[in-house]
């Protein structure tokens, strides 16, 4: 007989490579604390329902608690011989309290056990993610509040389009993060459900109490279907999907920062604390962190695609394929939390070059819409106004003049409707201030947005 925990029906030992390839202890030990919590709730339920005697339960509880303490003190070693975290802990328990440890697995399977651990793991991590997102949102609000009147070029097609407030730009990212947060909050609902007691796939003949274990573990709900309970990984897929969208947002933001700290733009300067140097070029100050965050977006998408593909075509209920759900998820947690923390630090220490930003809105014809709007207000149909200003822009390009610097006589050659009162409207800060439609970049609108945002966090 094989000496495996499940070895009864086996006549030949497994190949060494099988043990190594099949083992998950190398990574699922990250869920050791959750596994112990799950076992404690389970054994207490076995006592409460009379499935185990209170003496047995007391012994098992004491054993599990001693492992908890040693785990916290870093004194527990795991071994590949015991395949995964569940069998490692059961084997340690057996070493400590003897054969009574074998009663712990009554009315339980590793299938509902691993699902429980994984749910508990994410149920703890999702609020951590939400918290670090909130911290980044707070940093954005502070930077926005200090930059309501900072004028920068707004872009479409990466071409100067219309001047905007830098605070307005920042608050766009606040909104993206707000949606990210809402997605994680929803994700938490689907994570906060207990699979424990689904057993291998079909439930059990023992008179267990699934609501008791759910409550002990702090779960808000219990899976209604045992097949679904052991094979559902939607909550992890949602987590990876939410993380992918979050990283996509950070990556777009990173791309802009990396452009805007470049010599060509010089809109922003990152603090030395968030940049690195070059091993050969002494002058270099590289925005490595934004590049890495942009780069790591790819691996998070990869984890999402990986799990979606693993799940595709899986028959009900548990299959060993499901063991592949963990590494990508753990790596995602390990990636997005520091990425968000670093981003927050960068935003808190960011230097904004207001002059560079503003000057680049003064020689780019990004006030052309102002002139067209001016003519439209004077009664010229907007399409005609557009054509008039197009010609004036061409004239400006040919004679090296900005619209706001053109003599009135030249402007009038475009349209007699243009008077001297046009000049203040052609200034970029006036252009921003006057875009006071709801959600627009007008200073008053941006202030309002910030007030609303403050109430959201
Ligand atoms: N290590 C396994 C996993 O992560 C635990 C569940 C094993 N269950 C089984 N029937 N082999 O999925």
């Amino acid at each position: 007989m094989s000496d495996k925990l499940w070895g009864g029906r086996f006549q030949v030992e497994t190949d060494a490579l099988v043990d190594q390839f099949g083992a998950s202890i190398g990574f699922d030990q990250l869920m050791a604390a959750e596994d112990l919590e799950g076992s404690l709730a389970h054994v207490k339920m076995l006592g409460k329902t009379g499935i185990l005697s209170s003496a047995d339960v007391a012994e098992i509880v004491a054993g599990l608690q001693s492992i908890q303490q040693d785990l916290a003190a870093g004194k527990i070693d795991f071994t590949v011989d015991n395949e995964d975290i569940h069998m490692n802990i059961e084997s340690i328990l057996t070493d400590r309290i003897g054969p009574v440890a074998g009663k712990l697995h009554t009315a339980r399977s590793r299938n509902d056990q691993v699902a429980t651990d994984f749910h508990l793991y994410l149920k703890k991590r999702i609020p951590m993610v939400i918290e670090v997102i909130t911290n980044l949102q707070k940093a954005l609000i502070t930077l926005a509040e200090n930059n309501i009147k900072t004028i920068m070029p707004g872009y479409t097609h990466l071409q100067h389009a219309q001047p905007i407030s830098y605070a307005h730009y920042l608050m766009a990212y606040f909104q993206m993060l707000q949606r990210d947060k809402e997605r994680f909050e929803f994700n938490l609902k689907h994570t906060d459900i207990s699979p424990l007691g689904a057993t291998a796939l079909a439930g059990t003949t023992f008179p267990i109490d699934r609501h008791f274990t759910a409550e002990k573990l702090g779960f808000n709900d219990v899976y209604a279907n045992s097949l679904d309970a052991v094979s559902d990984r939607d909550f992890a897929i949602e987590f990876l999907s939410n993380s992918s969208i979050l990283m996509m947002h950070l990556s777009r933001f990173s791309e802009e920062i990396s452009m805007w700290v470049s010599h060509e733009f010089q809109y922003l300067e990152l603090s030395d604390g968030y940049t690195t140097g070059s091993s050969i070029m002494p002058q270099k100050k590289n925005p490595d962190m934004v590049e890495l965050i942009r780069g790591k977006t790819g691996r998070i998408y990869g984890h999402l695609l990986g799990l979606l593909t693993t799940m595709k075509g899986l028959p009900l209920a548990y299959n060993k394929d499901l063991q592949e759900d963990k590494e990508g998820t753990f790596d995602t947690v390990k990636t997005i939390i520091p990425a968000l923390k670093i981003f927050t630090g960068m935003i808190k220490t960011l230097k904004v070059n207001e002059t560079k930003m503003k000057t680049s809105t003064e020689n780019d014809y990004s006030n052309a819409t102002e002139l067209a709007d001016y003519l439209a207000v004077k009664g010229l149909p907007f399409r005609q106004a557009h054509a008039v200003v197009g010609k004036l822009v061409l004239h400006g390009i040919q004679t090296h003049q900005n619209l706001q610097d053109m003599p009135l006589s030249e402007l009038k050659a475009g349209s007699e409707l243009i008077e001297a009162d046009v000049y203040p409207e052609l200034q970029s800060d006036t252009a921003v201030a006057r875009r006071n439609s709801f959600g627009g970049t007008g200073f008053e609108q941006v202030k309002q947005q910030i007030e609303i945002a403050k109430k959201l966090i």
Side-chain angles (χ1 to χ4, degrees), residues 24 28 83-84 86 110-111 114 318 320 322-323 326:
S24 53
D28 66 12
E83 192 177 321
D84 60 22
H86 325 294
R110 273 187 296 156
N111 300 349
V114 70
Y318 180 85
K320 186 79 166 182
L322 289 173
Q323 183 165 290
K326 290 170 208 60

